[in-house]
Amino acid sequence: MGTVDPWVSAPARIADPDEGISVDELRLAARNHGMPLEALRYDVTPPGLHYLLTHYDIPALDPGAWRLTVSGAVARPLSLGLEDLRVRPRVTQRVTLECAGNGRARLQPRPVSQPWLDEAVGTAEWTGTPLAGVLAEAGVAATAVDVAFAGADRGFERGVEQDYRRGLSLGEAMRDDILLVDEMDGRPLPPQHGAPVRLIVPGWYGMAHVKWLVEVTVLEAEFGGYQNVTSYRLKQDADEPGEPVTRIMPKALVQPPGVPDFQSRVRVVDSGVVELTGRAWSGWAPVDTVEISVDDGVSWRPAELEPPADPYAWRLWRYVWDAAPGRYELRARARDTSGNEQPVGQAWNRQGMANNHAQRVTVVVR
Ligand SMILES: Nc1nc2c(c(=O)[nH]1)N[C@H]1C(S)=C(S)[C@@H](COP(=O)(O)O)O[C@H]1N2
Ligand SMILES: [Mo]
């Protein structure tokens, strides 16, 4: 057996039963911050409070010099500057993004990676031009199968140097709501969210929304890159190929009520009528049911849902709780119209992906 350099990380290593979060994981968590859960109060997450996930470093791209190439199995390869994109038809969509690794740090046993708890989520208004129009202009070959998207960021995974790349099937890429966006919440994209241009794939987990986009390549075979074939797979064993992670599973989160204890984040509220609110979303179909439990999932009652804003944006829910003194474990769960139901317990997988087990909020009523 050859020796492996000690800096080569092994994604999806499983932590020992009593192994704590390591300094490497803490460093990732400090770089890739979550959305503070009190920000669930906003329809659109204020800039800076949206979660962040970057595998390598945030690249510095000069918007004036930036080009997007469209090549591969196309009749007319394109090289577009920012102004070329901005004069095309423009669309604004409100979209909730969630990292596929959200919830990973709660899994038992725990896959070692970015240790998200519940907060790798956010909603923004993204403005840009439909990818389908750009692909049509390039003239996609009848033999095309997949479209690959490359970011300008580069690094190593399992010892292999690579650009951040993801592939989508041609059918998915031609959806009219897939956007090449240069604005977030009406302002130019900030560096950490993909400036000057990123891809938005409404309904899909975060990894599909390639930031710092520089290359679109139309392929006549399935894309075989690391982030599709090795990572973002639902699997139990290291040596099985697993299923690809795609759309966001339904989830509801509770906006933590009352005030927190600094370190434990346990909530303290006064007894009486407490209006609980939160958000719920699914990338498969609209959420039509949210249920709340104040007894750790033993009994459930329906919450009221506000009308949906945008098909891929979270929905506000409300629930009136008549709270008597005591200690409670609050839980929320969502269901969507295609019948996907959020489980209370965990569906474990090796990479800790697409975990939508119900959040638990500890509340002391005084
Ligand atoms: N180029 C590039 N795009 C990327 C990533 C990355 O590391 N590089 N991370 C992906 C992942 S895993 C997620 S969850 C989302 C996060 O988007 P945000 O940081 O804007 O919230 O970006 C995706 N796009
Ligand atoms: Mo992610």
PDB file of all heavy atoms in Angstrom, residues 51 53-55 98-102 104 116 120 164 205-208 232 353, ligand 2:
ATOM      1  N   TYR A  51     -26.738  31.833   4.649  1.00  0.00           N
ATOM      2  CA  TYR A  51     -25.638  30.897   4.918  1.00  0.00           C
ATOM      3  C   TYR A  51     -24.617  30.949   3.775  1.00  0.00           C
ATOM      4  O   TYR A  51     -24.897  31.481   2.690  1.00  0.00           O
ATOM      5  CB  TYR A  51     -26.162  29.471   5.105  1.00  0.00           C
ATOM      6  CG  TYR A  51     -26.317  28.677   3.828  1.00  0.00           C
ATOM      7  CD1 TYR A  51     -25.317  27.816   3.393  1.00  0.00           C
ATOM      8  CD2 TYR A  51     -27.462  28.801   3.045  1.00  0.00           C
ATOM      9  CE1 TYR A  51     -25.441  27.084   2.222  1.00  0.00           C
ATOM     10  CE2 TYR A  51     -27.590  28.076   1.870  1.00  0.00           C
ATOM     11  CZ  TYR A  51     -26.577  27.222   1.462  1.00  0.00           C
ATOM     12  OH  TYR A  51     -26.699  26.515   0.301  1.00  0.00           O
ATOM     13  N   LEU A  53     -21.373  28.551   1.862  1.00  0.00           N
ATOM     14  CA  LEU A  53     -20.569  27.327   1.768  1.00  0.00           C
ATOM     15  C   LEU A  53     -19.644  27.450   0.561  1.00  0.00           C
ATOM     16  O   LEU A  53     -20.106  27.597  -0.580  1.00  0.00           O
ATOM     17  CB  LEU A  53     -21.456  26.077   1.632  1.00  0.00           C
ATOM     18  CG  LEU A  53     -20.809  24.690   1.825  1.00  0.00           C
ATOM     19  CD1 LEU A  53     -19.775  24.341   0.766  1.00  0.00           C
ATOM     20  CD2 LEU A  53     -20.215  24.484   3.185  1.00  0.00           C
ATOM     21  N   THR A  54     -18.358  27.398   0.818  1.00  0.00           N
ATOM     22  CA  THR A  54     -17.333  27.471  -0.217  1.00  0.00           C
ATOM     23  C   THR A  54     -16.323  26.367   0.049  1.00  0.00           C
ATOM     24  O   THR A  54     -15.737  26.325   1.122  1.00  0.00           O
ATOM     25  CB  THR A  54     -16.657  28.859  -0.181  1.00  0.00           C
ATOM     26  OG1 THR A  54     -17.654  29.851  -0.450  1.00  0.00           O
ATOM     27  CG2 THR A  54     -15.552  28.963  -1.208  1.00  0.00           C
ATOM     28  N   HIS A  55     -16.166  25.463  -0.918  1.00  0.00           N
ATOM     29  CA  HIS A  55     -15.250  24.337  -0.725  1.00  0.00           C
ATOM     30  C   HIS A  55     -13.797  24.794  -0.615  1.00  0.00           C
ATOM     31  O   HIS A  55     -13.047  24.303   0.210  1.00  0.00           O
ATOM     32  CB  HIS A  55     -15.345  23.373  -1.918  1.00  0.00           C
ATOM     33  CG  HIS A  55     -16.579  22.513  -1.893  1.00  0.00           C
ATOM     34  ND1 HIS A  55     -16.529  21.150  -2.018  1.00  0.00           N
ATOM     35  CD2 HIS A  55     -17.888  22.827  -1.750  1.00  0.00           C
ATOM     36  CE1 HIS A  55     -17.755  20.648  -1.965  1.00  0.00           C
ATOM     37  NE2 HIS A  55     -18.603  21.645  -1.814  1.00  0.00           N
ATOM     38  N   GLU A  98     -30.539  25.608   0.302  1.00  0.00           N
ATOM     39  CA  GLU A  98     -30.115  24.868   1.495  1.00  0.00           C
ATOM     40  C   GLU A  98     -28.934  23.986   1.108  1.00  0.00           C
ATOM     41  O   GLU A  98     -28.935  23.374   0.027  1.00  0.00           O
ATOM     42  CB  GLU A  98     -31.267  23.991   2.023  1.00  0.00           C
ATOM     43  CG  GLU A  98     -30.886  23.243   3.291  1.00  0.00           C
ATOM     44  CD  GLU A  98     -32.001  22.360   3.848  1.00  0.00           C
ATOM     45  OE1 GLU A  98     -33.014  22.143   3.145  1.00  0.00           O
ATOM     46  OE2 GLU A  98     -31.831  21.898   4.995  1.00  0.00           O
ATOM     47  N   CYS A  99     -27.946  23.920   1.988  1.00  0.00           N
ATOM     48  CA  CYS A  99     -26.797  23.044   1.723  1.00  0.00           C
ATOM     49  C   CYS A  99     -27.228  21.601   1.944  1.00  0.00           C
ATOM     50  O   CYS A  99     -27.932  21.284   2.913  1.00  0.00           O
ATOM     51  CB  CYS A  99     -25.637  23.396   2.641  1.00  0.00           C
ATOM     52  SG  CYS A  99     -24.186  22.342   2.387  1.00  0.00           S
ATOM     53  N   ALA A 100     -26.768  20.716   1.044  1.00  0.00           N
ATOM     54  CA  ALA A 100     -27.127  19.295   1.157  1.00  0.00           C
ATOM     55  C   ALA A 100     -26.594  18.670   2.440  1.00  0.00           C
ATOM     56  O   ALA A 100     -27.103  17.652   2.897  1.00  0.00           O
ATOM     57  CB  ALA A 100     -26.598  18.528  -0.053  1.00  0.00           C
ATOM     58  N   GLY A 101     -25.574  19.298   3.035  1.00  0.00           N
ATOM     59  CA  GLY A 101     -24.993  18.753   4.275  1.00  0.00           C
ATOM     60  C   GLY A 101     -25.670  19.266   5.532  1.00  0.00           C
ATOM     61  O   GLY A 101     -25.256  18.907   6.648  1.00  0.00           O
ATOM     62  N   ASN A 102     -26.720  20.092   5.364  1.00  0.00           N
ATOM     63  CA  ASN A 102     -27.399  20.634   6.552  1.00  0.00           C
ATOM     64  C   ASN A 102     -27.869  19.477   7.440  1.00  0.00           C
ATOM     65  O   ASN A 102     -28.413  18.492   6.932  1.00  0.00           O
ATOM     66  CB  ASN A 102     -28.592  21.490   6.109  1.00  0.00           C
ATOM     67  CG  ASN A 102     -28.984  22.516   7.161  1.00  0.00           C
ATOM     68  OD1 ASN A 102     -28.253  22.739   8.134  1.00  0.00           O
ATOM     69  ND2 ASN A 102     -30.133  23.140   6.954  1.00  0.00           N
ATOM     70  N   ARG A 104     -25.888  17.563   9.202  1.00  0.00           N
ATOM     71  CA  ARG A 104     -24.880  16.493   9.273  1.00  0.00           C
ATOM     72  C   ARG A 104     -24.319  16.294  10.681  1.00  0.00           C
ATOM     73  O   ARG A 104     -24.098  15.151  11.115  1.00  0.00           O
ATOM     74  CB  ARG A 104     -23.753  16.819   8.305  1.00  0.00           C
ATOM     75  CG  ARG A 104     -22.612  15.829   8.349  1.00  0.00           C
ATOM     76  CD  ARG A 104     -21.457  16.257   7.465  1.00  0.00           C
ATOM     77  NE  ARG A 104     -21.780  16.161   6.056  1.00  0.00           N
ATOM     78  CZ  ARG A 104     -21.640  17.158   5.177  1.00  0.00           C
ATOM     79  NH1 ARG A 104     -21.167  18.322   5.570  1.00  0.00           N
ATOM     80  NH2 ARG A 104     -21.946  16.983   3.913  1.00  0.00           N
ATOM     81  N   TRP A 116     -22.617  21.082   9.903  1.00  0.00           N
ATOM     82  CA  TRP A 116     -23.838  21.886  10.021  1.00  0.00           C
ATOM     83  C   TRP A 116     -24.778  21.326  11.077  1.00  0.00           C
ATOM     84  O   TRP A 116     -24.949  20.116  11.175  1.00  0.00           O
ATOM     85  CB  TRP A 116     -24.612  21.890   8.712  1.00  0.00           C
ATOM     86  CG  TRP A 116     -24.032  22.609   7.548  1.00  0.00           C
ATOM     87  CD1 TRP A 116     -23.745  22.058   6.329  1.00  0.00           C
ATOM     88  CD2 TRP A 116     -23.742  24.010   7.425  1.00  0.00           C
ATOM     89  NE1 TRP A 116     -23.282  23.024   5.475  1.00  0.00           N
ATOM     90  CE2 TRP A 116     -23.268  24.231   6.117  1.00  0.00           C
ATOM     91  CE3 TRP A 116     -23.841  25.098   8.291  1.00  0.00           C
ATOM     92  CZ2 TRP A 116     -22.896  25.496   5.651  1.00  0.00           C
ATOM     93  CZ3 TRP A 116     -23.454  26.340   7.830  1.00  0.00           C
ATOM     94  CH2 TRP A 116     -22.989  26.535   6.532  1.00  0.00           C
ATOM     95  N   ALA A 120     -28.021  25.849   7.668  1.00  0.00           N
ATOM     96  CA  ALA A 120     -27.441  26.054   6.331  1.00  0.00           C
ATOM     97  C   ALA A 120     -28.535  26.320   5.309  1.00  0.00           C
ATOM     98  O   ALA A 120     -28.779  25.535   4.385  1.00  0.00           O
ATOM     99  CB  ALA A 120     -26.602  24.859   5.918  1.00  0.00           C
ATOM    100  N   TYR A 164     -14.034  23.725  -9.085  1.00  0.00           N
ATOM    101  CA  TYR A 164     -15.363  23.308  -8.630  1.00  0.00           C
ATOM    102  C   TYR A 164     -16.247  23.162  -9.874  1.00  0.00           C
ATOM    103  O   TYR A 164     -16.460  24.122 -10.618  1.00  0.00           O
ATOM    104  CB  TYR A 164     -15.965  24.327  -7.657  1.00  0.00           C
ATOM    105  CG  TYR A 164     -17.275  23.813  -7.093  1.00  0.00           C
ATOM    106  CD1 TYR A 164     -17.298  23.039  -5.942  1.00  0.00           C
ATOM    107  CD2 TYR A 164     -18.482  24.057  -7.753  1.00  0.00           C
ATOM    108  CE1 TYR A 164     -18.489  22.524  -5.446  1.00  0.00           C
ATOM    109  CE2 TYR A 164     -19.678  23.545  -7.266  1.00  0.00           C
ATOM    110  CZ  TYR A 164     -19.669  22.778  -6.110  1.00  0.00           C
ATOM    111  OH  TYR A 164     -20.852  22.266  -5.630  1.00  0.00           O
ATOM    112  N   TYR A 205     -30.589  21.239  -4.022  1.00  0.00           N
ATOM    113  CA  TYR A 205     -29.654  21.549  -2.946  1.00  0.00           C
ATOM    114  C   TYR A 205     -28.532  22.433  -3.474  1.00  0.00           C
ATOM    115  O   TYR A 205     -28.262  22.478  -4.690  1.00  0.00           O
ATOM    116  CB  TYR A 205     -29.084  20.267  -2.338  1.00  0.00           C
ATOM    117  CG  TYR A 205     -30.008  19.620  -1.319  1.00  0.00           C
ATOM    118  CD1 TYR A 205     -30.602  18.391  -1.553  1.00  0.00           C
ATOM    119  CD2 TYR A 205     -30.272  20.254  -0.095  1.00  0.00           C
ATOM    120  CE1 TYR A 205     -31.438  17.793  -0.613  1.00  0.00           C
ATOM    121  CE2 TYR A 205     -31.104  19.674   0.856  1.00  0.00           C
ATOM    122  CZ  TYR A 205     -31.685  18.447   0.606  1.00  0.00           C
ATOM    123  OH  TYR A 205     -32.507  17.870   1.530  1.00  0.00           O
ATOM    124  N   GLY A 206     -27.852  23.107  -2.522  1.00  0.00           N
ATOM    125  CA  GLY A 206     -26.888  24.167  -2.832  1.00  0.00           C
ATOM    126  C   GLY A 206     -25.798  23.829  -3.822  1.00  0.00           C
ATOM    127  O   GLY A 206     -25.390  24.676  -4.623  1.00  0.00           O
ATOM    128  N   MET A 207     -25.315  22.575  -3.801  1.00  0.00           N
ATOM    129  CA  MET A 207     -24.122  22.239  -4.599  1.00  0.00           C
ATOM    130  C   MET A 207     -24.316  22.469  -6.084  1.00  0.00           C
ATOM    131  O   MET A 207     -23.340  22.627  -6.828  1.00  0.00           O
ATOM    132  CB  MET A 207     -23.687  20.778  -4.343  1.00  0.00           C
ATOM    133  CG  MET A 207     -24.596  19.704  -4.929  1.00  0.00           C
ATOM    134  SD  MET A 207     -26.119  19.463  -4.002  1.00  0.00           S
ATOM    135  CE  MET A 207     -27.159  18.651  -5.223  1.00  0.00           C
ATOM    136  N   ALA A 208     -25.583  22.498  -6.550  1.00  0.00           N
ATOM    137  CA  ALA A 208     -25.852  22.666  -7.984  1.00  0.00           C
ATOM    138  C   ALA A 208     -25.703  24.124  -8.429  1.00  0.00           C
ATOM    139  O   ALA A 208     -25.557  24.398  -9.627  1.00  0.00           O
ATOM    140  CB  ALA A 208     -27.261  22.166  -8.316  1.00  0.00           C
ATOM    141  N   TYR A 232     -21.657  14.158  -2.979  1.00  0.00           N
ATOM    142  CA  TYR A 232     -23.108  14.363  -3.137  1.00  0.00           C
ATOM    143  C   TYR A 232     -23.809  13.091  -3.596  1.00  0.00           C
ATOM    144  O   TYR A 232     -24.584  13.077  -4.551  1.00  0.00           O
ATOM    145  CB  TYR A 232     -23.397  15.558  -4.066  1.00  0.00           C
ATOM    146  CG  TYR A 232     -22.817  16.821  -3.483  1.00  0.00           C
ATOM    147  CD1 TYR A 232     -21.641  17.369  -3.964  1.00  0.00           C
ATOM    148  CD2 TYR A 232     -23.414  17.428  -2.380  1.00  0.00           C
ATOM    149  CE1 TYR A 232     -21.070  18.484  -3.378  1.00  0.00           C
ATOM    150  CE2 TYR A 232     -22.842  18.552  -1.784  1.00  0.00           C
ATOM    151  CZ  TYR A 232     -21.683  19.067  -2.294  1.00  0.00           C
ATOM    152  OH  TYR A 232     -21.123  20.171  -1.698  1.00  0.00           O
ATOM    153  N   MET A 353     -25.834  13.615   3.807  1.00  0.00           N
ATOM    154  CA  MET A 353     -26.478  14.463   2.799  1.00  0.00           C
ATOM    155  C   MET A 353     -28.005  14.388   2.898  1.00  0.00           C
ATOM    156  O   MET A 353     -28.563  13.347   3.240  1.00  0.00           O
ATOM    157  CB  MET A 353     -26.078  13.999   1.393  1.00  0.00           C
ATOM    158  CG  MET A 353     -24.600  14.127   1.080  1.00  0.00           C
ATOM    159  SD  MET A 353     -24.116  15.862   0.965  1.00  0.00           S
ATOM    160  CE  MET A 353     -22.381  15.686   0.520  1.00  0.00           C
TER     161      MET A 353
HETATM  162 MO    MO B   2     -23.538  22.595   0.135  1.00  0.00          MO
END
